[in-house]
Amino acid sequence: MEHEAFIRKAYDLAISAGKKGNHTFGALLVKDGAVIACAENSVATGQGYGHAEYNLAIQCAAQFPEGMLQECTLYTITAPCPRC
């Protein structure tokens, strides 16, 4: 997959979040050309902070070793906020 395809996937996640009543943001993590994790914004329907990038970071920190995460690329539809 090329960068554009990953950005389109992030947009699909954002649309999905919006259909659930959340803000329209999505994020995904890519390693070696493959999506290994994705998350949506969950401000309205989830617990805690709820930004897509934050949700993705929490998910991946628990699932993957830090060294592997350093080799990944984060895709999102906007620049992450300073807290994310």
Side-chain angles (χ1 to χ4, degrees):
M1 268 187 166
E2 294 187 32
H3 295 293
E4 184 177 338
F6 295 127
I7 295 296
R8 288 185 189 279
K9 173 68 174 162
Y11 271 102
D12 290 342
L13 292 165
I15 291 167
S16 176
K19 289 179 180 179
K20 296 173 185 164
N22 294 298
H23 299 138
T24 53
F25 295 96
L28 55 109
L29 199 65
V30 174
K31 182 171 183 341
D32 299 328
V35 176
I36 62 167
C38 55
E40 299 175 359
N41 183 287
S42 62
V43 169
T45 61
Q47 298 178 0
Y49 192 52
H51 288 190
E53 302 86 353
Y54 180 81
N55 291 341
L56 184 65
I58 295 298
Q59 172 190 337
C60 291
Q63 189 175 358
F64 303 111
E66 183 179 336
M68 190 196 94
L69 293 174
Q70 292 174 352
E71 300 170 0
C72 296
T73 302
L74 169 71
Y75 288 86
T76 186
I77 62 167
T78 62
C81 76
R83 291 186 282 184
C84 289

